[in-house]
Amino acid sequence: MRREQLILAGRFLDGASHRRVASPFHGRVVAEVALASEQDLASALTQAAAAAKALASTPPHTRASILEKAAFLVAERREQFAQLLVEEAGKPLSLARVEADRCVETLRECARQARSWHGELLELGAFPSGQGRWGLLRRVPVGLVLGITPFNFPLNLVAHKLGPAVAAGCPIILKPASQTPSPALHLAQALLEAGLAPEAISVLPCPGEQAMRLVEAPEVRLVSFTGSAAVGWEIKRRAWDKRVTLELGGNAAVVVEPDGGDLSAIAHRIALGAFGYAGQSCISVQRVLVARAIYQPFREAFVQAAEAFPTGDPTDSRVQCGPMITASDADRIETWVKTALDAGARSLTPWRREGSIVWPQVLENVPHHHPLWAEEAFAPVAVLEAYDRYEQALALVNESRFGLQCGIFTNDVNKLQRAWQEVEVGAVIAGDIPSWRSDPMPYGGVKQSGFGREGPGWAFEEMTELRLLVLREG
């Protein structure tokens, strides 16, 4: 069993209390992690706030160099990080390695952002009120950042908080998910080894209510949260007087048109988006909308893909659908499936569950008021529905309180442009699943999926603010 210390202003400390972290797959304890006390939280806030001015004056090339060195260390320790993800998140080994690789990409892009700072010259004399004056516009660090991250991508989503903060010159306190704290601690260690000033970073595992006290702390200037909608909007309510970015949930839809391509290939691609990592992603495919003209052949291909989807032990490199994060989450989705069937839905795959592992489920005729359609399943479940007209499909995509990403399989550019204009999401993914993401791109949603954008360049903007210098001519 591993023993992990918390990180307080760059110092590794044993906490007054500890939390045991168990594997979602076999239930055995894999780590004992130090928990931050109220005194630790107060000390982290004080030290980070005091260091903000010095960190802001760190040269951008120094910040970039730290991020590049940290990326090298993560790449060097790829298997170690992947093993942490398997142990604590139950993430299949093949997907854990992908997450480690993405973390390297994220840090490298953050380094590029640190080297790409630029200002703007404003000709204020364009109007009589500005005659004889011009302005210089630059970005400055916003100050202390509080990052809160979820269990499902406990390495790369942590990099999306820590990396932009380093690039911008902001101190950061990170509260990792209670189920998966170790990857964040090890990533922070890599940044410290790469030369990050100790006072620039704290990683404080703690219960959620303690984190809420950090949210309300006056020293915090920006809260960057990724997680559930319920918690995110409560954070927004409590942090009414500071900058907040929220990346929340979704029940992502994908549309399959008759001209979308080979149906078997599309079905297998959608299966990966729906069932990979047991569907525990906010952009996991949940609603599959298929043109009626191709519904039956697609339905057959998709059911075959679901039944053949490699499910089981996450340490097996062939497996792509491992356990759900807790047995209670598996209980929840089992209840959702049963109540959907009671409400008239039809199951197209046999129900199978072993412990926290739920085998891929495909249903049709699910009522639109049921949680499997209307809420975020966060499970290996996909709902099929046929539509008659493309306009109807777009309306069904929008029939959601969420709006993160959607996928459109069509080769008709006019249809894609119409989706881009009409669908209420943060991104439309052409010819692919809504689960696709490249780390440098802007990422985030609308409606109940949150606001603000992740992605190093956009997070960098969130973590900086504009400052103008007005000068006289002559």
Side-chain angles (χ1 to χ4, degrees), residues 324-342:
M324 298 190 68
I325 191 66
T326 66
S328 62
D329 282 287
D331 292 341
R332 172 184 59 80
I333 203 61
E334 183 171 3
T335 298
W336 282 20
V337 169
K338 288 181 177 178
T339 57
L341 297 177
D342 291 342

Side-chain angles (χ1 to χ4, degrees), residues 14 20 48 76 113 118 152 158 172 183 331 334 390 473:
D14 287 317
R20 291 188 168 187
E76 190 176 55
Q113 291 297 326
H118 65 276
N152 57 339
V158 168
I172 182 167
D331 292 341
E334 183 171 3
Y390 184 64
E473 293 180 356

